[in-house]
């Protein structure tokens, strides 16, 4: 393929549409979570990822696993965890079997905030997808995202 190859151009256009859709959704959810719960999308995502873990007595992951799960660098993840820890939403502790391992888990306060914020996140996501579906370039991507939903 060359830089002027129509297939490459089409691929680039598809990628651009995907990033536009992602950006719109993230911005819409960010505004809603900030306004109602003083949470960023990244903070919400971190609480959500950790709350879905079932090792031991509650949601916990090693810091590297956290970084991988929310797609941030380890330094950015550490800053994010520190912010949430300062707010009493997360706790860090040493692994009892490997003193080098640091785990992160959601506190009771964090779980309560997450459960309060979840309907806001879900409603903002639905609104953002509905708005994007009205755009002919984004509508196919919205349909694809919606087709990935599996009812509980």
């Amino acid at each position: 393929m060359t830089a002027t190859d129509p297939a490459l151009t089409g691929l680039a256009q598809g990628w651009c549409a995907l990033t536009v859709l992602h950006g719109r959704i993230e911005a819409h959810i960010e505004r809603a979570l900030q306004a109602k719960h003083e949470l960023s999308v990244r903070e919400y995502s971190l609480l959500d990822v950790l709350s879905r873990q079932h090792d031991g007595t509650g949601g916990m992951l090693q810091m590297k696993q956290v970084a991988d799960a929310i797609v941030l660098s380890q330094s950015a993840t550490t800053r994010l965890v520190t912010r949430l820890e300062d707010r009493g939403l997360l706790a860090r502790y040493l692994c009892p079997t490997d003193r080098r391992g640091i785990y992160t888990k959601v506190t009771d306060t964090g779980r309560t905030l997450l459960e309060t914020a979840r309907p806001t996140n879900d409603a903002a996501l639905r609104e953002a997808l509905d708005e994007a579906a009205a755009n002919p370039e984004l509508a196919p991507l919205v349909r694809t995202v919606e087709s990935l939903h599996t009812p509980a």
Side-chain angles (χ1 to χ4, degrees):
M1 277 190 201
T2 64
T4 57
D5 187 325
L8 185 58
T9 302
L11 184 61
Q13 288 173 337
W15 173 246
C16 183
L18 182 59
T19 60
V20 167
L21 178 62
H22 177 268
R24 286 183 182 187
I25 291 170
E26 189 170 63
H28 195 85
I29 294 172
E30 179 83 26
R31 286 189 299 273
L33 289 173
Q34 284 288 349
K36 293 184 180 178
H37 307 285
E38 297 180 358
L39 275 177
S40 72
V41 169
R42 294 287 188 190
E43 291 167 340
Y44 176 88
S45 295
L46 176 54
L47 291 172
D48 186 53
V49 163
L50 285 172
S51 75
R52 295 176 191 276
Q53 301 308 307
H54 300 290
D55 298 329
T57 59
M60 63 188 112
L61 287 175
Q62 287 183 338
M63 291 295 287
K64 181 176 181 343
Q65 293 171 305
V66 172
D68 291 345
I70 61 172
V71 193
L72 285 178
S73 69
Q74 284 193 289
S75 61
T77 299
T78 298
R79 289 189 301 273
L80 180 61
V81 167
T82 299
R83 276 198 317 268
L84 293 176
E85 189 176 36
D86 290 347
R87 291 175 60 187
L89 304 174
L90 294 181
R92 280 187 271 201
Y93 61 94
L94 291 175
C95 174
T97 58
D98 179 1
R99 303 299 285 177
R100 296 170 297 171
I102 298 174
Y103 283 87
T104 306
K105 69 177 180 175
V106 181
T107 64
D108 290 340
T109 302
R111 274 191 289 285
T112 300
L113 178 58
L114 178 63
E115 292 310 311
T116 303
R118 194 177 306 280
T120 302
N121 179 79
D122 294 349
L125 174 59
R126 180 74 265 157
E127 290 167 5
L129 287 170
D130 289 347
E131 287 175 14
N135 180 323
E137 292 178 3
L138 300 178
L141 292 171
V142 171
R143 287 191 298 274
T144 299
V145 169
E146 291 172 338
S147 74
L148 298 174
H149 170 72
T150 53

